[in-house]
Amino acid sequence: MTEVDVEQIYKAYEEINNASDNTPEIKRSYEILIAGAHGSSNCKRLAAQFIPRFFGKFPEYYETALDALFDLCEDTDINVRLTVIKYMPNVVKEFDKFAVRIADALVQLLENETVQEIAAVKKALEQVLRLDPETIPAIFNQSLKGSPEVRQRTINFLSNDLNRIKMELSQRNSDWESKFSDEVKKALHDANATDYEMFIKMLLSLKMYEKKENLKALSESMVDAIAKENEQLDPSNESSFQKFMLCGKTLIQFFEKGISTTPILAFLVKKMLPQNIYCNLQAKQQKSVLRYLVEFIIRSPNETTLKEAAPLIKDIFVKEVPEPPSDNNEEDPKLDLNKVENIVYAIYTIASKVPAITEGQEMNSRLRHLYTFAMKCQTRVKLGLKDLQKTQNKDQQTIEKIKKAENVQTVTQNIFTMTKELMKPAVARHFTKVVISWRTSPQTTTSPPTLTSSTTGVKRPNTEGSTSNPNKKQKSAQTNTTSQASQIRQKITAPKVTKSVRTGQANKRTGEANKRTGGSGGNRNNGVRLAKIARNKNNEKNLYVPPPRRGT
């Protein structure tokens, strides 16, 4: 057809708009609109508006009309491109069969550089999704096979712009969230670390994952995405390691809701703990792996997985902790205490279910060596910490040293406690609660399962009645202790004055405290060993009275 002008396009528009039937004359009018896509700039802008508006009335021109619109998308005039982008969703409104093709074309237009076009495309994509939520697979497919710019901008659209209409799309189509989730899970497999993180955020923003059963399926999909079958992990591939870190960090939130740790622990055991992989990791990466190992095994995973992990963790322990010197050399071994604490904690936890993890001469000698080393460290750190705390004017550097010393004190105390128990025969072990140094929050305190007397052969301590029914000797000791404390207090405060009401109250509190503890100063609470320090501090605070002023 020959080139048309603006007046012809307006006339053709009026004829089609007022017509009731598709007569041959009306069809020729639609041909004029299509021809306008190859006219002047103004004709092209009018064609971009009018072709989509009447698209559904002329089935025989579907392909021709779409080709004309796609030509306009490639026009050199930005105003023409902006116009056709704005009105292309009307094609879907007229005939939703072409929704996928329109969405596909719009995603490709994200490659354009101008900010106005990118914003227009995103708005058009929102309109297409509102008209037909089923187009979400087309958006994903095109983004995955497109250029890096298209991929990144599409992921940006899906993670940010789509949030505005998620609720609306879910209301229109009850299966929309499920289909969207399926597409994101597919994209996880080929995602780099940055995209992987964004995809995870997209998934967790869906309401369907408020249900525990859906979270379980999601955790398995996340692990599958990083665990490629028959493919060994490359320690030098930073992206693969980052994906594992992101996966582990996300799944820890799921574990708090009761989701099993078995899939991710199995991945860690097979892909991270073997010597040829672990030894080639950077020191920082090794620490991260060991920390996640602790996070995963303390949540009672599958016993079969623990048995698979036991020999690998044992090998790591033998590598990290040197054998004691044969010439009685007292030189301390060079250890990364934080790494060793995590390794020993893992062994301590697994030993409750797999006692054989500590068997062997190389384990026994190293445990004894580590036990002795931890005991020496505690003594030195305690003295150093005492000197630091005596400093009158503590500057920032001193405060940092105190914090560091306190952390070392906690680490060495944990190592000492655990190695002491692990050196015992399996039937004589009593696994007490140990809080690993970097888990400071009380809510995250965990402990390995305590073995029962039927499995260990050790009689449980009798906690019933031991603190509530003191014998005659204990009652006598309480009375003597109370009277002595009262006499001492009276002597300090007012030697010539009789016992005051305040002193009587203090003595009464002391007596009640002794009754609660059975008068024996016991340090057990329901079978769990507790430190005496907390109780003594309270008593010291209650009994302390300032000395009398001079001249009184």
Side-chain angles (χ1 to χ4, degrees):
M1 177 176 269
T2 57
E3 188 174 328
V4 297
D5 56 26
V6 172
E7 291 184 6
Q8 289 176 299
I9 293 175
Y10 272 121
K11 183 179 179 182
Y13 167 80
E14 292 292 339
E15 290 174 352
I16 298 171
N17 192 43
N18 296 328
S20 56
D21 297 321
N22 283 352
T23 60
E25 290 78 13
I26 298 301
K27 290 180 181 180
R28 281 195 292 271
S29 297
Y30 194 67
E31 289 177 358
I32 292 173
L33 296 183
I34 293 173
H38 303 95
S40 65
S41 181
N42 288 335
C43 290
K44 290 176 181 178
R45 292 173 66 184
L46 290 174
Q49 295 179 53
F50 299 154
I51 292 173
R53 176 162 185 173
F54 302 117
F55 185 84
K57 291 186 177 182
F58 303 96
E60 60 270 37
Y61 291 104
Y62 282 162
E63 292 298 330
T64 308
L66 280 177
D67 285 340
L69 292 175
F70 293 158
D71 287 340
L72 292 173
C73 290
E74 299 172 352
D75 198 85
T76 55
D77 188 344
I78 186 174
N79 293 315
V80 172
R81 297 198 301 272
L82 289 171
T83 303
V84 72
I85 291 169
K86 179 180 178 180
Y87 289 99
M88 274 176 70
N90 288 344
V91 172
V92 182
K93 190 175 182 180
E94 288 290 314
F95 192 49
D96 60 4
K97 179 182 176 182
F98 292 100
V100 171
R101 289 179 66 180
I102 296 299
D104 186 86
L106 288 170
V107 171
Q108 294 179 59
L109 291 175
L110 285 172
E111 194 167 4
N112 292 344
E113 295 297 328
T114 60
V115 176
Q116 300 99 309
E117 284 181 271
I118 294 172
V121 169
K122 289 181 177 180
K123 189 173 181 180
L125 282 171
E126 286 183 25
Q127 292 176 347
V128 171
L129 283 169
R130 283 192 177 100
L131 293 168
D132 186 4
E134 300 290 330
T135 54
I136 197 69
I139 296 175
F140 269 98
N141 290 337
Q142 183 58 48
S143 69
L144 292 176
K145 66 184 180 183
S147 65
E149 291 82 7
V150 169
R151 179 185 176 89
Q152 199 56 47
R153 288 169 185 170
T154 306
I155 293 172
N156 240 345
F157 166 76
L158 293 169
S159 62
N160 298 323
D161 301 84
L162 198 60
N163 282 331
R164 294 194 296 267
I165 61 172
K166 268 182 187 173
M167 187 69 70
E168 181 184 340
L169 295 176
S170 299
Q171 291 172 351
R172 292 189 179 191
N173 190 330
S174 58
D175 295 332
W176 183 86
E177 277 199 350
S178 178
K179 291 178 180 178
F180 179 76
S181 173
D182 290 342
E183 294 301 323
V184 177
K185 287 177 184 177
K186 291 177 188 175
L188 281 175
H189 289 267
D190 297 319
N192 57 33
T194 304
D195 293 347
Y196 186 91
E197 184 175 16
M198 295 183 76
F199 287 142
I200 295 300
K201 287 180 180 178
M202 288 185 213
L203 290 167
L204 294 180
S205 68
L206 301 176
K207 289 190 71 176
M208 64 182 289
Y209 289 116
E210 294 176 1
K211 298 179 180 178
K212 183 178 177 179
E213 58 269 23
N214 292 336
L215 272 182
K216 182 176 181 292
L218 176 58
S219 67
E220 293 172 355
S221 298
M222 289 171 59
V223 176
D224 288 342
I226 62 173
K228 297 180 180 179
E229 288 295 328
N230 302 321
E231 185 173 320
Q232 200 77 358
L233 181 74
D234 181 8
S236 63
N237 189 334
E238 185 67 24
S239 180
S240 296
F241 190 82
Q242 284 299 320
K243 285 170 68 173
F244 160 73
M245 295 285 288
L246 291 167
C247 181
K249 183 179 179 181
T250 305
L251 290 181
I252 288 171
Q253 304 170 31
F254 295 2
F255 302 152
E256 302 291 347
K257 300 177 182 179
I259 304 301
S260 172
T261 65
T262 300
I264 186 63
L265 180 60
F267 168 82
L268 183 67
V269 170
K270 293 176 183 177
K271 304 287 186 179
M272 295 283 188
L273 295 187
Q275 285 287 299
N276 61 325
I277 302 297
Y278 177 84
C279 293
N280 290 318
L281 294 173
Q282 300 173 16
K284 187 177 180 181
Q285 292 175 333
Q286 289 179 350
K287 287 182 181 179
S288 299
V289 167
L290 293 173
R291 188 174 275 209
Y292 276 124
L293 175 65
V294 170
E295 289 279 12
F296 300 155
I297 66 173
I298 60 180
R299 302 173 194 275
S300 301
N302 186 287
E303 190 168 336
T304 304
T305 309
L306 289 182
K307 288 180 179 178
E308 292 175 0
L312 298 172
I313 298 171
K314 189 174 178 179
D315 290 342
I316 294 174
F317 176 79
V318 170
K319 174 187 175 295
E320 294 290 347
V321 179
E323 197 172 5
S326 56
D327 56 354
N328 295 324
N329 185 1
E330 296 185 0
E331 184 179 351
D332 292 334
K334 294 181 180 179
L335 298 174
D336 186 328
L337 289 176
N338 291 309
K339 286 172 68 174
V340 171
E341 183 195 19
N342 286 323
I343 298 167
V344 175
Y345 193 95
I347 294 173
Y348 184 75
T349 308
I350 293 176
S352 62
K353 294 183 178 180
V354 189
I357 192 172
T358 58
E359 292 179 357
Q361 180 59 32
E362 59 183 8
M363 285 294 292
N364 292 332
S365 61
R366 283 172 171 80
L367 285 171
R368 285 195 299 270
H369 190 35
L370 192 58
Y371 171 82
T372 306
F373 171 71
M375 188 163 51
K376 289 179 182 178
C377 272
Q378 279 185 279
T379 305
R380 289 198 295 263
V381 172
K382 188 176 181 181
L383 292 173
L385 189 59
K386 191 174 181 180
D387 291 338
L388 286 170
Q389 290 171 339
K390 285 180 180 178
T391 308
Q392 294 295 326
N393 298 321
K394 299 182 179 68
D395 56 10
Q396 187 61 35
Q397 188 176 5
T398 305
I399 293 172
E400 291 297 325
K401 286 181 179 179
I402 291 173
K403 288 181 180 178
K404 188 175 180 180
E406 288 173 344
N407 178 65
V408 174
Q409 190 176 39
T410 304
V411 171
T412 52
Q413 176 61 46
N414 284 344
I415 294 173
F416 175 81
T417 302
M418 293 185 289
T419 51
K420 180 180 178 181
E421 209 63 44
L422 291 171
M423 288 190 299
K424 297 177 183 178
V427 294
R429 290 171 184 162
H430 182 72
F431 292 96
T432 57
K433 182 177 292 186
V434 175
V435 183
I436 201 158
S437 60
W438 44 266
R439 293 175 70 85
T440 55
S441 174
Q443 288 81 359
T444 58
T445 300
T446 55
S447 64
T450 304
L451 297 182
T452 62
S453 57
S454 61
T455 58
T456 63
V458 180
K459 185 179 290 186
R460 287 187 175 184
N462 182 10
T463 58
E464 298 180 4
S466 63
T467 59
S468 58
N469 297 315
N471 56 32
K472 291 180 179 180
K473 290 182 179 181
Q474 289 172 332
K475 287 180 179 178
S476 176
Q478 290 175 16
T479 306
N480 292 338
T481 304
T482 305
S483 61
Q484 288 173 8
S486 176
Q487 292 170 7
I488 293 169
R489 183 165 184 160
Q490 291 173 13
K491 185 176 181 179
I492 294 173
T493 53
K496 296 181 180 181
V497 181
T498 59
K499 182 172 68 175
S500 66
V501 177
R502 181 180 177 187
T503 307
Q505 290 174 349
N507 292 338
K508 183 179 179 181
R509 285 198 296 271
T510 307
E512 289 174 352
N514 284 334
K515 285 180 183 180
R516 286 196 296 272
T517 60
S520 60
N523 63 337
R524 287 185 176 273
N525 181 21
N526 295 330
V528 180
R529 191 180 301 277
L530 300 176
K532 294 182 181 179
I533 299 173
R535 187 167 65 87
N536 288 343
K537 280 185 177 179
N538 291 336
N539 287 341
E540 289 170 3
K541 183 177 179 181
N542 291 338
L543 295 177
Y544 175 73
V545 176
R549 295 180 181 178
R550 292 183 180 179
T552 58

